[in-house]
Amino acid sequence: MNIHSYEKLWLIAALLLIVGFIATITYGSVGLGIAMIDDSEDTVNPGSLDEDFGEPRVEHVGENEYEAYVIAQTFTYRPDPIEVPADSEVTFYVTSRDVIHSFSVVGTNVNTMVIPGEVSSMTVEFDDPGEYGIVCNEYCGDFHHTMEGQLHVVP
Ligand code: CUA
């Protein structure tokens, strides 16, 4: 009967709507010329960061590809500022020397917890030059509210 096919139609419409919502959420790109590509976690010994993780730095690893090794500790991020060129793909490796912090780039969806013993990594594309603030969203001590850094995407 006809009713049956209408029901089918509505069922499909409802399913498409749900799939659409999920796709919108998972594919949440941020605008501002920044897009998150990947994020994951690795481990490191917080007691020997200098040997195992190295100095906080930005490395040029390929054409338009960079790796930023960032250390968070009460109440700073290093390097500061983090400088990367525009039109680049940057993988951040962020770890903590002491307690739990976060690495949150204001105005973007770059926002990760930074846990001692773990290396949070995420790959981000920067299209346009700009300056971004980095803030800590995890309470980490008396001066948590002053913990901030700078990310400079330079022309
Ligand atoms: Cu670091 Cu709050």
Side-chain angles (χ1 to χ4, degrees):
M1 277 293 290
N2 259 347
I3 294 166
H4 187 75
S5 58
Y6 274 125
E7 264 178 6
K8 222 177 189 177
L9 202 67
W10 280 108
L11 196 64
I12 291 167
L15 281 176
L16 284 177
L17 204 62
I18 290 166
V19 169
F21 281 141
I22 292 171
T24 308
I25 291 163
T26 45
Y27 195 73
S29 143
V30 283
L32 292 171
I34 293 183
M36 179 91 77
I37 294 171
D38 177 39
D39 74 284
S40 60
E41 268 154 37
D42 220 335
T43 58
V44 69
N45 181 354
S48 57
L49 282 189
D50 292 340
E51 299 87 74
D52 299 345
F53 189 77
E55 284 289 302
R57 66 200 181 278
V58 175
E59 285 183 8
H60 189 186
V61 293
E63 199 189 351
N64 300 327
E65 282 177 38
Y66 295 81
E67 290 179 350
Y69 292 83
V70 180
I71 296 180
Q73 66 187 93
T74 52
F75 297 94
T76 59
Y77 297 96
R78 291 171 55 218
D80 187 33
I82 300 166
E83 274 199 2
V84 295
D87 286 318
S88 63
E89 187 177 295
V90 182
T91 301
F92 291 94
Y93 297 94
V94 192
T95 192
S96 168
R97 203 185 281 284
D98 40 38
V99 297
I100 293 176
H101 301 279
S102 88
F103 180 80
S104 308
V105 181
V106 178
T108 75
N109 67 349
V110 177
N111 181 17
T112 184
M113 273 178 94
V114 182
I115 300 166
E118 290 186 10
V119 180
S120 302
S121 66
M122 71 223 91
T123 302
V124 183
E125 276 178 5
F126 294 100
D127 295 335
D128 304 317
E131 297 195 352
Y132 300 90
I134 300 166
V135 295
C136 179
N137 286 332
E138 295 290 333
Y139 181 75
C140 54
D142 285 349
F143 294 94
H144 156 70
H145 62 283
T146 68
M147 182 159 173
E148 59 184 21
Q150 288 284 318
L151 170 65
H152 293 172
V153 182
V154 297

